[in-house]
Amino acid sequence: MANVQTQVLSDDAANDALLAELLSDVGLDAGGDEVIETVPESDGLGQVGDIAASVEMLDDSLLEEIDASAKRTDDMQALYAEQPAQPAIAAGETAPETTPEIAAAAPKKKRSGGKKKEAKAPAEDESAPAEAPAVAVAPVEDKKPKVPRATSVTHKPGDLLLAKLGDKADDFLVFDSTADLAQIEVDKIQFIERMNDRDAIADKVREKINMFLVWMAKGGSLNEVLKRAITVLHTDGQLTSGDKGNLQLNLLSKPYSVGTARSQANQMFMALPELGLTIKEKGRMIPNPNSPLLVGAYAALGLE
């Protein structure tokens, strides 16, 4: 009997403990009174029951303020997105201040609900240079290389004379009208060789020969000494040598000095036979009757 009684007592105590736990869950004690529990502080992580209880405690005005603030934030972000990109701020400058009031006062772009406008083609740049009209280019003709101008540096005296006479060399390098073509060619070659030989003909004499032949071929004014020598030869029929000779006396009347008249007369006594204009005799020179150059000189000077 003692064991049975002990078991009954144990069961009653268990039932009382279970009842007390149920009453504590609904906020009452075993006597029916309300129990005030102390809510433990949050450990930082929070529980679902705590978040739900906090949300229920917010009043309607606080929720409305949160919604309004969120809407203002969205509007500000949309407005900033529509603004053009600002230039970079240089060192030492301050960025312009933008306040909510300034942003609210800025005009908003209207969104068109209609059809999209077709993009216009970019206008032509008037400053761009116009294309030059095509120009027909004539074909370039093959040109022969220019022959360098003959000078006393590039040519010997005889070769330089040939270059000056050009195509007329064969017409004026004829010294005997009775000679055949072969002899005329031989005489011309020998003449050029003597002109190239500085020992065969003196420089001053060579200059007088050049003057005469270029004058015959191209005209112009004849050297004064040559002109007087040919004129005296035509008038007197001869040229006599020496200080009392007719050519030297004529030159003194220029008047030339005695020394100049003497040297110029000597040059004529050497140049005229080289040209075939005269034939040398003792103390004098006579005209060469077979000289085509002498006939041409008389005609050019009007001595016929």
Side-chain angles (χ1 to χ4, degrees):
M1 288 297 289
N3 291 336
V4 173
Q5 189 177 0
T6 301
Q7 180 67 37
V8 171
L9 291 173
S10 298
D11 292 341
D12 291 338
N15 290 333
D16 291 339
L18 177 60
L19 177 61
E21 183 179 354
L22 292 175
L23 290 175
S24 66
D25 289 342
V26 296
L28 298 176
D29 58 10
D33 295 330
E34 182 178 356
V35 179
I36 299 175
E37 295 182 358
T38 302
V39 180
E41 294 183 1
S42 174
D43 58 1
L45 299 175
Q47 298 178 356
V48 175
D50 295 337
I51 296 174
S54 299
V55 171
E56 289 177 0
M57 293 176 63
L58 295 175
D59 58 12
D60 294 338
S61 61
L62 182 58
L63 292 175
E64 291 176 359
E65 180 64 26
I66 292 173
D67 292 339
S69 177
K71 187 175 183 303
R72 286 196 298 271
T73 301
D74 292 341
D75 291 342
M76 290 292 291
Q77 291 178 351
L79 180 61
Y80 291 151
E82 293 179 356
Q83 297 300 318
Q86 297 297 325
I89 304 301
E93 296 186 359
T94 304
E97 181 181 1
T98 302
T99 64
E101 291 76 7
I102 296 175
K108 296 183 179 180
K109 294 184 178 179
K110 294 182 180 180
R111 297 181 180 177
S112 59
K115 296 181 179 179
K116 293 182 179 180
K117 293 183 180 180
E118 295 182 359
K120 294 183 179 180
E124 294 183 0
D125 188 0
E126 296 181 356
S127 63
E131 293 184 1
V135 179
V137 179
V140 179
E141 298 181 357
D142 293 337
K143 295 183 179 181
K144 295 181 180 180
K146 292 183 178 181
V147 179
R149 186 174 64 90
T151 66
S152 59
V153 176
T154 60
H155 290 66
K156 293 180 179 181
D159 298 332
L160 181 59
L161 175 61
L162 285 175
K164 289 180 179 180
L165 296 177
D167 296 338
K168 296 181 179 181
D170 291 339
D171 297 333
F172 293 97
L173 294 182
V174 178
F175 308 106
D176 188 350
S177 58
T178 63
D180 56 19
L181 294 177
Q183 186 60 45
I184 290 174
E185 185 65 20
V186 171
D187 293 343
K188 182 178 71 173
I189 293 173
Q190 291 177 348
F191 170 76
I192 296 299
E193 288 177 350
R194 287 179 60 80
M195 288 287 288
N196 284 334
D197 187 355
R198 297 185 181 277
D199 295 331
I201 301 176
D203 290 341
K204 295 295 185 180
V205 175
R206 189 183 296 107
E207 289 176 3
K208 292 294 193 299
I209 292 173
N210 271 286
M211 291 176 184
F212 177 80
L213 289 172
V214 172
W215 169 73
M216 288 287 292
K218 298 182 179 182
S221 298
L222 180 61
N223 172 262
E224 181 67 19
V225 175
L226 281 166
K227 181 179 180 180
R228 289 195 177 206
I230 294 171
T231 300
V232 172
L233 179 63
H234 178 268
T235 302
D236 297 347
Q238 65 175 357
L239 290 176
T240 56
S241 61
D243 291 342
K244 301 296 182 180
N246 57 358
L247 178 56
Q248 190 167 331
L249 291 174
N250 183 278
L251 293 174
L252 287 173
S253 66
K254 166 70 177 165
Y256 287 106
S257 65
V258 175
T260 300
R262 183 181 295 129
S263 66
Q264 292 293 329
N266 288 336
Q267 291 175 20
M268 291 299 98
F269 267 80
M270 289 183 285
L272 298 183
E274 290 287 349
L275 289 166
L277 298 178
T278 59
I279 299 173
K280 269 189 173 184
E281 294 182 353
K282 186 177 180 179
R284 68 172 191 163
M285 291 189 302
I286 61 175
N288 180 2
N290 299 323
S291 172
L293 290 176
L294 184 59
V295 173
Y298 284 163
L301 293 174
L303 300 175
E304 295 179 340

